[in-house]
PDB file of all heavy atoms in Angstrom:
ATOM      1  N   GLU A 441      -9.569   0.010  -3.446  1.00  0.00           N
ATOM      2  CA  GLU A 441      -8.595   0.387  -4.456  1.00  0.00           C
ATOM      3  C   GLU A 441      -9.217   0.474  -5.847  1.00  0.00           C
ATOM      4  O   GLU A 441      -8.763   1.243  -6.684  1.00  0.00           O
ATOM      5  CB  GLU A 441      -7.437  -0.621  -4.469  1.00  0.00           C
ATOM      6  CG  GLU A 441      -6.590  -0.565  -3.222  1.00  0.00           C
ATOM      7  CD  GLU A 441      -5.319  -1.381  -3.350  1.00  0.00           C
ATOM      8  OE1 GLU A 441      -5.103  -1.967  -4.432  1.00  0.00           O
ATOM      9  OE2 GLU A 441      -4.548  -1.428  -2.385  1.00  0.00           O
ATOM     10  N   LEU A 442     -10.264  -0.298  -6.104  1.00  0.00           N
ATOM     11  CA  LEU A 442     -10.900  -0.263  -7.414  1.00  0.00           C
ATOM     12  C   LEU A 442     -11.554   1.086  -7.674  1.00  0.00           C
ATOM     13  O   LEU A 442     -11.619   1.547  -8.813  1.00  0.00           O
ATOM     14  CB  LEU A 442     -11.951  -1.368  -7.526  1.00  0.00           C
ATOM     15  CG  LEU A 442     -11.427  -2.805  -7.519  1.00  0.00           C
ATOM     16  CD1 LEU A 442     -12.584  -3.766  -7.743  1.00  0.00           C
ATOM     17  CD2 LEU A 442     -10.359  -3.012  -8.567  1.00  0.00           C
ATOM     18  N   LEU A 443     -12.050   1.727  -6.626  1.00  0.00           N
ATOM     19  CA  LEU A 443     -12.734   3.004  -6.784  1.00  0.00           C
ATOM     20  C   LEU A 443     -11.833   4.172  -6.431  1.00  0.00           C
ATOM     21  O   LEU A 443     -12.300   5.247  -6.122  1.00  0.00           O
ATOM     22  CB  LEU A 443     -13.996   3.035  -5.917  1.00  0.00           C
ATOM     23  CG  LEU A 443     -15.055   2.011  -6.302  1.00  0.00           C
ATOM     24  CD1 LEU A 443     -16.250   2.125  -5.383  1.00  0.00           C
ATOM     25  CD2 LEU A 443     -15.477   2.180  -7.746  1.00  0.00           C
ATOM     26  N   ASP A 444     -10.542   3.961  -6.454  1.00  0.00           N
ATOM     27  CA  ASP A 444      -9.585   5.029  -6.174  1.00  0.00           C
ATOM     28  C   ASP A 444      -9.786   6.156  -7.181  1.00  0.00           C
ATOM     29  O   ASP A 444      -9.666   5.967  -8.384  1.00  0.00           O
ATOM     30  CB  ASP A 444      -8.159   4.496  -6.268  1.00  0.00           C
ATOM     31  CG  ASP A 444      -7.140   5.520  -5.819  1.00  0.00           C
ATOM     32  OD1 ASP A 444      -7.523   6.447  -5.101  1.00  0.00           O
ATOM     33  OD2 ASP A 444      -5.968   5.389  -6.198  1.00  0.00           O
ATOM     34  N   GLY A 445     -10.118   7.327  -6.695  1.00  0.00           N
ATOM     35  CA  GLY A 445     -10.381   8.446  -7.581  1.00  0.00           C
ATOM     36  C   GLY A 445     -11.856   8.726  -7.768  1.00  0.00           C
ATOM     37  O   GLY A 445     -12.238   9.719  -8.375  1.00  0.00           O
ATOM     38  N   GLY A 446     -12.744   7.847  -7.256  1.00  0.00           N
ATOM     39  CA  GLY A 446     -14.166   8.099  -7.298  1.00  0.00           C
ATOM     40  C   GLY A 446     -14.823   7.866  -8.632  1.00  0.00           C
ATOM     41  O   GLY A 446     -15.918   8.353  -8.885  1.00  0.00           O
ATOM     42  N   VAL A 447     -14.179   7.118  -9.541  1.00  0.00           N
ATOM     43  CA  VAL A 447     -14.751   6.874 -10.855  1.00  0.00           C
ATOM     44  C   VAL A 447     -15.923   5.904 -10.734  1.00  0.00           C
ATOM     45  O   VAL A 447     -15.776   4.795 -10.249  1.00  0.00           O
ATOM     46  CB  VAL A 447     -13.689   6.299 -11.808  1.00  0.00           C
ATOM     47  CG1 VAL A 447     -14.295   6.024 -13.165  1.00  0.00           C
ATOM     48  CG2 VAL A 447     -12.515   7.268 -11.938  1.00  0.00           C
ATOM     49  N   GLY A 448     -17.111   6.330 -11.181  1.00  0.00           N
ATOM     50  CA  GLY A 448     -18.276   5.460 -11.139  1.00  0.00           C
ATOM     51  C   GLY A 448     -18.641   5.028  -9.741  1.00  0.00           C
ATOM     52  O   GLY A 448     -19.093   3.900  -9.551  1.00  0.00           O
ATOM     53  N   LEU A 449     -18.480   5.908  -8.755  1.00  0.00           N
ATOM     54  CA  LEU A 449     -18.655   5.517  -7.363  1.00  0.00           C
ATOM     55  C   LEU A 449     -20.092   5.124  -7.048  1.00  0.00           C
ATOM     56  O   LEU A 449     -20.334   4.088  -6.430  1.00  0.00           O
ATOM     57  CB  LEU A 449     -18.199   6.650  -6.445  1.00  0.00           C
ATOM     58  CG  LEU A 449     -18.430   6.446  -4.947  1.00  0.00           C
ATOM     59  CD1 LEU A 449     -17.673   5.224  -4.464  1.00  0.00           C
ATOM     60  CD2 LEU A 449     -18.011   7.680  -4.161  1.00  0.00           C
ATOM     61  N   VAL A 450     -21.057   5.933  -7.465  1.00  0.00           N
ATOM     62  CA  VAL A 450     -22.453   5.700  -7.080  1.00  0.00           C
ATOM     63  C   VAL A 450     -22.988   4.379  -7.646  1.00  0.00           C
ATOM     64  O   VAL A 450     -23.488   3.545  -6.881  1.00  0.00           O
ATOM     65  CB  VAL A 450     -23.337   6.883  -7.505  1.00  0.00           C
ATOM     66  CG1 VAL A 450     -24.802   6.565  -7.223  1.00  0.00           C
ATOM     67  CG2 VAL A 450     -22.925   8.146  -6.755  1.00  0.00           C
ATOM     68  N   PRO A 451     -22.907   4.112  -8.956  1.00  0.00           N
ATOM     69  CA  PRO A 451     -23.410   2.821  -9.443  1.00  0.00           C
ATOM     70  C   PRO A 451     -22.620   1.635  -8.897  1.00  0.00           C
ATOM     71  O   PRO A 451     -23.188   0.573  -8.651  1.00  0.00           O
ATOM     72  CB  PRO A 451     -23.265   2.920 -10.968  1.00  0.00           C
ATOM     73  CG  PRO A 451     -22.270   4.000 -11.195  1.00  0.00           C
ATOM     74  CD  PRO A 451     -22.444   4.961 -10.072  1.00  0.00           C
ATOM     75  N   ALA A 452     -21.309   1.826  -8.686  1.00  0.00           N
ATOM     76  CA  ALA A 452     -20.497   0.734  -8.145  1.00  0.00           C
ATOM     77  C   ALA A 452     -20.901   0.414  -6.711  1.00  0.00           C
ATOM     78  O   ALA A 452     -21.060  -0.756  -6.334  1.00  0.00           O
ATOM     79  CB  ALA A 452     -19.016   1.095  -8.208  1.00  0.00           C
TER      80      ALA A 452
END
Side-chain angles (χ1 to χ4, degrees):
E441 292 190 1
L442 293 184
L443 296 180
D444 187 20
V447 179
L449 175 61
V450 174

